[in-house]
Amino acid sequence: MTEAESGTVTEIIAGVPVHYRGEYVLSVEDDYERIYEEDRHDSEHLEGLDSEPGTTTALYAVASARYLADKTGTLGEVLREPYTLRTTRDVEAVLAALGQHIAALAAVAEGLGVWLDAAYQRGELDGEPAAARTELGRAADLLRAAGLPLREVVVPGDRSPALDMDTLIAGVIEQLRARGIEVAKVHVFDSETRWELGGDRHLALSSENSWSLLFPTGKPSRWKPVSFGLYCWYAHPEQVADLVVKTLSEAEA
């Protein structure tokens, strides 16, 4: 049987016979290009980053850099919202993480310079990367300097509402009242807490962290739940009240 008949193609690569059998479908270039064409699995690649020292490839590094940049930007946006953090302890935790993040970004800048040197030593660059390495080192120094003022930040003492159920119940009642919504009764069950809002409507907090409004269906003891996207027992009472008002307004529109 000839090679053509067996579906085998032989090529000599680096002095060694390489036998291609059957339909050859793998494409190194296409696989590499997918790094830049698809970002759906970036979080998974971040989790797998450096799982084994020396095994990291461009897929994990590029995807991780992209994911961290995107989520750090998102964090910056949500921190502008008034209830993203609950206590000053949260502020201190984010400050500490921010300092670590800045130091890590400095290390990333230096790491890029180290990679460029290694690629140059392998003959894979068309020029000496000294200038780029210098600028990356300068960027690393500036980043570290930018993090120094964070060490001087003194956060005032915390006076936020206490983290207990009675305070939460009272706080929600008071904040709803301040927005023109009266609470008739509150029922605390094993699996759910309900604030009766009148008109057979209820605000509900489940034992699984989910907040929702319950609207009457016209049938006795039957309600239609409408979640407003809040999943947290220790949400701030003002945040809860704002979302209740927003959801009621949307339901009545």
Side-chain angles (χ1 to χ4, degrees):
M1 182 181 293
T2 65
E3 281 198 345
E5 291 173 328
S6 66
T8 301
V9 176
T10 300
E11 295 183 10
I12 305 300
I13 300 177
V16 175
V18 178
H19 305 289
Y20 292 92
R21 292 183 171 84
E23 294 293 327
Y24 179 69
V25 296
L26 297 178
S27 171
V28 175
E29 183 178 7
D30 287 348
D31 192 53
Y32 175 77
E33 286 300 321
R34 276 197 285 272
I35 297 174
Y36 298 96
E37 295 170 356
E38 181 183 314
D39 60 7
R40 291 180 301 162
H41 302 292
D42 282 1
S43 61
E44 298 170 25
H45 295 135
L46 174 62
E47 289 297 322
L49 186 66
D50 197 30
S51 57
E52 288 291 335
T55 64
T56 304
T57 62
L59 170 62
Y60 291 91
V62 173
S64 296
R66 181 168 55 209
Y67 185 79
L68 287 170
D70 179 57
K71 293 306 178 183
T72 301
T74 301
L75 177 61
E77 290 299 318
V78 299
L79 283 172
R80 289 174 168 80
E81 299 173 5
Y83 309 114
T84 298
L85 303 181
R86 183 62 169 79
T87 69
T88 56
R89 178 183 178 184
D90 303 335
V91 177
E92 292 167 348
V94 174
L95 270 173
L98 179 58
Q100 292 175 333
H101 193 57
I102 291 173
L105 289 174
V108 169
E110 289 177 335
L112 288 171
V114 172
W115 185 90
L116 287 171
D117 274 350
Y120 179 67
Q121 295 299 322
R122 294 193 299 267
E124 296 173 7
L125 300 182
D126 62 6
E128 212 278 333
R133 178 75 182 267
T134 297
E135 290 304 314
L136 287 166
R138 181 169 172 269
D141 291 340
L142 289 171
L143 282 166
R144 290 192 178 95
L148 293 177
L150 296 177
R151 301 178 185 178
E152 306 304 319
V153 175
V154 178
V155 179
D158 188 73
R159 295 180 61 186
S160 61
L163 294 165
D164 62 63
M165 199 60 186
D166 287 347
T167 300
L168 176 63
I169 290 171
V172 170
I173 292 171
E174 291 165 359
Q175 293 302 325
L176 287 173
R177 183 177 294 144
R179 290 158 177 77
I181 301 172
E182 289 295 333
V183 176
K185 296 178 183 177
V186 178
H187 303 275
V188 181
F189 305 103
D190 289 341
S191 61
E192 186 179 61
T193 299
R194 287 193 185 188
W195 291 256
E196 288 189 17
L197 306 183
D200 203 21
R201 300 170 303 180
H202 300 253
L203 168 65
L205 168 61
S206 77
S207 60
E208 298 177 349
N209 300 345
S210 176
W211 292 83
S212 59
L213 277 170
L214 307 179
F215 291 91
T217 62
K219 298 179 181 179
S221 301
R222 298 279 184 175
W223 293 271
K224 176 185 177 182
V226 176
S227 173
F228 43 81
L230 189 60
Y231 304 96
C232 181
W233 286 333
Y234 49 83
H236 196 287
E238 290 189 29
Q239 182 180 25
V240 175
D242 283 349
L243 290 169
V244 168
V245 171
K246 178 176 179 289
T247 306
L248 287 174
S249 176
E250 291 172 349
E252 294 167 358

